[in-house]
Amino acid sequence: MKKLNLKDKIKRILWFFANPRLLLCFGIAWIFTNGWSYIALGIGTIFDIVWMQAVAGAYLALLWLPFTPEKIITVIIAIALLKLFFPRDERTLGILNDIFTKAK
């Protein structure tokens, strides 16, 4: 495998994160992990639903504590959704496989 220069590495990283398939899967994973609480807090505030505000506010307070693994869980769910929805996406999954083999 050839060694990439800095410009190529930055380009590869930007392409990886700007991939529409990955962004879609990450958005769905974000809704699963904490997006629902932001939506529930907004709806609870608009319509004055106290229990919805309390549940969403408590969950959001937990999310903002230090060392909350929410981001890690979101990324794991996003990768699982990417493999489920787009199993033939060789470019994105190939980059993930390269990162995984280098991490070993």
Side-chain angles (χ1 to χ4, degrees), residues 25-26 28-30 32-33 70-83:
C25 293
F26 189 80
I28 293 169
W30 181 81
F32 285 156
T33 56
E70 169 267 329
K71 309 249 182 321
I72 297 168
I73 294 169
T74 304
V75 170
I76 291 169
I77 292 171
I79 292 170
L81 289 173
L82 184 68
K83 288 180 180 181

Side-chain angles (χ1 to χ4, degrees), residues 39-84:
I39 293 167
L41 186 64
I43 291 171
T45 302
I46 290 169
F47 295 111
D48 198 29
I49 305 170
V50 178
W51 70 267
M52 196 178 284
Q53 291 174 354
V55 170
Y59 186 77
L60 287 171
L62 287 174
L63 285 180
W64 286 93
L65 288 174
F67 308 112
T68 304
E70 169 267 329
K71 309 249 182 321
I72 297 168
I73 294 169
T74 304
V75 170
I76 291 169
I77 292 171
I79 292 170
L81 289 173
L82 184 68
K83 288 180 180 181
L84 179 69

